[in-house]
Amino acid sequence: MTDMIQPGATIGILGGGQLGRMLSVAASRLGFKTHIFEPGANPPAGQVADRVTTASYDDTDALADFAASVDVITYEFENIPTEALDLLDSVRPIRPSRKALAVSQDRLVEKAFLNDLGLKTAAFAAVDDATDLAEAIAEIGTPSILKTRRFGYDGKGQARLKSADDAARALADMAGAPSILEGFVNFTHEVSVIAARGTTGEVACYDPGENVHKNGILDTTTVPANLTAAQRTDAVLLAAKILNALDYVGVLGVELFVTPQGLIVNEIAPRVHNSGHWTQNGCAIDQFEQHIRAIVGWPLGDGKRHSNVIMENLIGDDVDRIPDIARTGAAIHLYGKSDAKPGRKMGHVNRITGPAK
Amino acid sequence: MTDMIQPGATIGILGGGQLGRMLSVAASRLGFKTHIFEPGANPPAGQVADRVTTASYDDTDALADFAASVDVITYEFENIPTEALDLLDSVRPIRPSRKALAVSQDRLVEKAFLNDLGLKTAAFAAVDDATDLAEAIAEIGTPSILKTRRFGYDGKGQARLKSADDAARALADMAGAPSILEGFVNFTHEVSVIAARGTTGEVACYDPGENVHKNGILDTTTVPANLTAAQRTDAVLLAAKILNALDYVGVLGVELFVTPQGLIVNEIAPRVHNSGHWTQNGCAIDQFEQHIRAIVGWPLGDGKRHSNVIMENLIGDDVDRIPDIARTGAAIHLYGKSDAKPGRKMGHVNRITGPAK
């Protein structure tokens, strides 16, 4: 098992939410222990991890102790402070690497990176003030959408512009944060590819899933997606291109708009992705285990699917439907969160719809 | 959700081995926390549980604290001391119930119970001393097998008798423990049924798996088993009969010998069972989740299988094959045990062989 991190080793995970929780469970299946680093008290991942450190990302002692206690470090979210990464990186390998984080932490850098690879994105322009925004609107037009360059997720930090009249309000919504104006993409539907790359450069992709959003949050992912064979191939090839360009190790989520002119990359996430949760009940090796296999240097699963699946997110008080859902034979995945606040991801359900192919 | 224990509650598990570990993971999927009670230090289940109590079964304070901290109690093994059960039972419900434990803790009681239900077992007789054994051999004949009535597993506490000449040696092997002589059953193969019963009396069975043993320890389980339609039905009906007679709540494993004269019950285990591990990769709801659903009063999965599976146990240094197995796309399940001692169950592998039906 040369270059493979051995069972019994400890995997450090930055972030104790549901993704950290499901990574932790997958790691345990392969015989690894996990250590969660999370500023918030009682994180969902803590309930299934061997060890939890509750500390902030500016607590250098806690970060150093955490890094020293693990064999490799990964993360469930991309907005980790740079200073914390600098410290951790000096003690243990961080996978996926800093480069992937740097690209995906900033929408402007990410779009430039994708365009440089020859991949299509929405038209975009940097916006730091009203003058930039006026110029960007003149260039890109409306409808368009203004987004903060950093720290956005699930539709937060975004403002739509129906016309140039919305400029002042949209800019106010950004609260002074460096932003990006993105042109409107006339797409028929959205799909995502969950792809992985191992330490040896090996690449594996799951078949794309088709995503439907509700109130800016992923509602369902259906596999297989409605795609032509050519689009399916394109989706896999472009995901592999991104992985190789980043010398990536781990699972990456790529959201794609399907348009008559081809696939347009919406965004990439350097981690396991909500739209890949279907793999838990559709594949022998799911995205969480695939990510763990990649970061510990093990051979990857080939992305093979045994069943077709519809994944549905349980948001806020959707969890009140659990008694009914439990009667349907669907696979239930709850995250151990105590408060079902509106908009909060509380769990998801995977319904097997039939054998693959 | 009346009568359903709600997500967020804590499930107490007696025993921190691999079964407790996999029960713990399944409980977390449904939003439950787990608390493991285990005398041994650093139990495998502790790595994935919310809480672990390390204490012996005669530590009444620890037992009382444990019981008070959980909402329902279950177990991964049947040989829990009666006094501990008495204490726990007075604080929180134990599921499956004491009756199931009493029956399955003693091979003599178990066989009498099964015969009373009209189910076939091997011929048997109680053996406490040399006189009993001589009478038992006269009645049952040889080849036969002498077993301790209690605390046997994986072929331990057993001695084969090829002829009456082996009587003294076999009895010595029992070291004075109350024993049972079991007649030889001329079977073609062994199958097991993993069945479950809920708090409302609802029963669900997985399709039987076919077991092959090596050195007295389960080696592989293959699903589907080689059975006629009539045998398949018989297997399910007799499992349901046992569950109902015990007013059982939880998952039960029933090992059956297949003979030209029909199915003969070898033994029952009031818990999740090694021969049910295939369900983790063959079903949306596996035996571990099924057990948790039963003991918290949730609707059961229907036992449906999406894929055919061969489960292979990894015993002792079989784990050295992990690098090769990881390349095959099989699902790996390791138990987090540090020492690969000979005969020790270190993990298992599930290979999907195709879609069910």
Side-chain angles (χ1 to χ4, degrees):
Chain A
M1 255 198 241
T2 327
D3 296 334
M4 290 171 68
I5 295 178
Q6 304 286 319
T10 299
I11 296 171
I13 301 175
L14 303 172
Q18 65 267 18
L19 300 181
R21 178 180 171 100
M22 293 184 279
L23 284 168
S24 196
V25 165
S28 76
R29 276 205 304 270
L30 300 182
F32 296 103
K33 295 177 194 157
T34 55
H35 184 168
I36 306 292
F37 190 99
E38 164 65 50
N42 303 314
Q47 297 166 14
V48 295
D50 191 52
R51 201 173 152 196
V52 182
T53 293
T54 306
S56 83
Y57 283 105
D58 53 16
D59 184 337
T60 52
D61 286 346
L63 285 168
D65 287 349
F66 168 79
S69 77
V70 303
D71 297 278
V72 61
I73 297 169
T74 192
Y75 43 87
E76 64 155 11
F77 73 119
E78 47 270 53
N79 294 318
I80 306 153
T82 302
E83 297 73 14
L85 292 169
D86 288 341
L87 190 158
L88 296 169
D89 210 8
S90 69
V91 186
R92 289 290 183 273
I94 298 179
R95 292 174 184 162
S97 70
R98 300 289 296 277
K99 188 174 176 190
L101 275 171
V103 165
S104 61
Q105 279 181 341
D106 186 316
R107 293 181 192 279
L108 188 70
V109 175
E110 181 177 305
K111 285 203 159 45
F113 162 78
L114 293 167
N115 285 180
D116 285 349
L117 282 182
L119 306 180
K120 288 181 204 164
T121 63
F124 64 94
V127 171
D128 288 334
D129 54 30
T131 312
D132 290 345
L133 183 53
E135 284 174 16
I137 292 173
E139 182 192 331
I140 293 168
T142 55
S144 51
I145 184 162
L146 189 64
K147 300 178 177 176
T148 55
R149 284 171 55 176
R150 294 170 66 101
F151 305 119
Y153 66 97
D154 287 346
K156 285 167 191 160
Q158 304 196 359
R160 286 174 190 278
L161 287 84
K162 287 185 185 167
S163 73
D165 296 344
D166 295 333
R169 178 195 49 77
L171 197 61
D173 281 359
M174 301 300 109
S179 299
I180 177 174
L181 187 72
E182 297 183 7
F184 180 75
V185 175
N186 194 8
F187 62 97
T188 54
H189 52 297
E190 186 199 291
V191 300
S192 54
V193 185
I194 307 299
R197 188 169 176 275
T199 50
T200 60
E202 171 191 16
V203 167
C205 290
Y206 296 101
D207 202 25
E210 185 166 336
N211 303 326
V212 175
H213 293 78
K214 203 156 73 179
N215 305 322
I217 304 175
L218 183 66
D219 181 32
T220 62
T221 299
T222 301
V223 178
N226 183 16
L227 289 174
T228 65
Q231 287 169 330
R232 221 170 280 273
T233 304
D234 279 354
V236 168
L237 289 178
L238 73 81
K241 202 166 195 174
I242 295 168
L243 289 168
N244 289 328
L246 293 171
D247 195 23
Y248 197 87
V249 174
V251 161
L252 175 92
V254 185
E255 295 180 11
L256 299 167
F257 294 132
V258 183
T259 78
Q261 292 75 43
L263 301 175
I264 292 181
V265 183
N266 178 27
E267 61 180 32
I268 63 176
R271 53 170 169 80
V272 288
H273 197 259
N274 194 166
S275 67
H277 291 359
W278 68 269
T279 57
Q280 293 175 308
N281 295 97
C283 306
I285 296 166
D286 68 21
Q287 68 162 348
F288 301 99
E289 180 172 334
Q290 186 81 311
H291 185 76
I292 299 296
R293 283 175 173 243
I295 67 168
V296 296
W298 286 32
L300 301 181
D302 62 3
K304 190 180 174 182
R305 175 173 93 253
H306 55 70
S307 299
N308 294 335
V309 179
I310 299 179
M311 188 286 305
E312 182 193 2
N313 270 335
L314 301 175
I315 309 290
D317 58 15
D318 283 350
V319 286
D320 296 344
R321 291 164 40 217
I322 284 295
D324 291 329
I325 294 168
R327 279 177 194 94
T328 65
I332 294 172
H333 300 264
L334 298 181
Y335 304 153
K337 299 179 183 176
S338 44
D339 292 332
K341 293 179 195 153
R344 195 173 196 202
K345 289 178 177 173
M346 301 299 294
H348 66 275
V349 174
N350 285 331
R351 292 173 209 283
I352 292 181
T353 55
K357 270 157 225 176
Chain B
M1 257 197 240
T2 327
D3 297 332
M4 290 171 66
I5 295 178
Q6 305 285 319
T10 300
I11 295 171
I13 301 174
L14 303 171
Q18 64 268 19
L19 300 182
R21 179 180 169 100
M22 293 184 279
L23 284 170
S24 197
V25 164
S28 77
R29 276 205 303 270
L30 300 183
F32 296 103
K33 293 175 194 159
T34 55
H35 184 169
I36 306 291
F37 189 99
E38 164 66 49
N42 303 317
Q47 297 165 15
V48 295
D50 191 51
R51 204 172 149 196
V52 183
T53 293
T54 305
S56 84
Y57 283 105
D58 53 17
D59 184 338
T60 52
D61 287 344
L63 286 168
D65 288 348
F66 168 78
S69 78
V70 303
D71 296 278
V72 61
I73 297 168
T74 191
Y75 43 86
E76 64 154 12
F77 73 119
E78 48 270 52
N79 293 320
I80 306 152
T82 302
E83 298 73 16
L85 292 169
D86 288 342
L87 191 157
L88 295 169
D89 211 7
S90 68
V91 186
R92 289 289 183 274
I94 298 180
R95 293 174 182 163
S97 70
R98 300 289 297 276
K99 189 174 174 188
L101 276 171
V103 164
S104 60
Q105 280 181 342
D106 187 315
R107 294 181 192 279
L108 188 69
V109 176
E110 180 177 305
K111 285 206 158 43
F113 162 79
L114 293 166
N115 285 181
D116 284 349
L117 282 183
L119 305 179
K120 290 181 203 160
T121 64
F124 65 94
V127 172
D128 287 333
D129 54 30
T131 312
D132 290 345
L133 183 53
E135 286 174 15
I137 292 172
E139 182 192 332
I140 293 168
T142 55
S144 50
I145 184 161
L146 190 64
K147 300 178 177 178
T148 56
R149 283 172 54 177
R150 296 170 63 103
F151 306 119
Y153 67 95
D154 287 345
K156 286 169 190 158
Q158 306 195 358
R160 289 175 187 277
L161 286 84
K162 286 185 187 167
S163 75
D165 296 345
D166 295 332
R169 178 196 48 79
L171 196 62
D173 281 358
M174 301 299 111
S179 299
I180 178 174
L181 187 72
E182 298 183 5
F184 181 75
V185 176
N186 194 7
F187 62 96
T188 54
H189 51 298
E190 186 199 292
V191 300
S192 54
V193 185
I194 307 301
R197 188 169 176 276
T199 51
T200 61
E202 171 192 15
V203 167
C205 290
Y206 296 100
D207 202 25
E210 185 166 336
N211 303 326
V212 175
H213 293 79
K214 204 157 73 179
N215 305 322
I217 304 176
L218 183 66
D219 182 31
T220 62
T221 299
T222 301
V223 178
N226 185 13
L227 288 174
T228 64
Q231 287 168 331
R232 220 170 280 273
T233 305
D234 278 356
V236 168
L237 289 179
L238 72 81
K241 204 168 195 174
I242 295 169
L243 289 169
N244 289 327
L246 293 171
D247 195 22
Y248 197 88
V249 173
V251 161
L252 176 93
V254 185
E255 293 180 12
L256 299 167
F257 294 132
V258 183
T259 79
Q261 292 74 42
L263 301 175
I264 292 181
V265 183
N266 178 26
E267 61 180 31
I268 62 175
R271 54 172 170 78
V272 288
H273 197 259
N274 194 165
S275 67
H277 291 358
W278 68 268
T279 58
Q280 293 176 308
N281 296 95
C283 305
I285 297 167
D286 69 22
Q287 69 163 348
F288 301 98
E289 180 173 334
Q290 187 80 314
H291 185 76
I292 299 295
R293 282 176 173 243
I295 67 167
V296 296
W298 286 30
L300 301 181
D302 62 4
K304 189 178 173 183
R305 176 173 92 252
H306 55 69
S307 299
N308 295 335
V309 178
I310 299 177
M311 188 285 306
E312 182 193 2
N313 270 334
L314 301 176
I315 309 290
D317 59 14
D318 283 349
V319 287
D320 296 344
R321 289 165 41 217
I322 284 295
D324 292 329
I325 294 169
R327 278 178 195 95
T328 65
I332 294 171
H333 299 264
L334 297 181
Y335 304 152
K337 298 178 182 175
S338 44
D339 292 333
K341 292 177 195 154
R344 194 175 197 203
K345 290 178 178 173
M346 301 300 292
H348 65 275
V349 173
N350 286 329
R351 291 172 211 282
I352 291 181
T353 55
K357 272 155 221 178

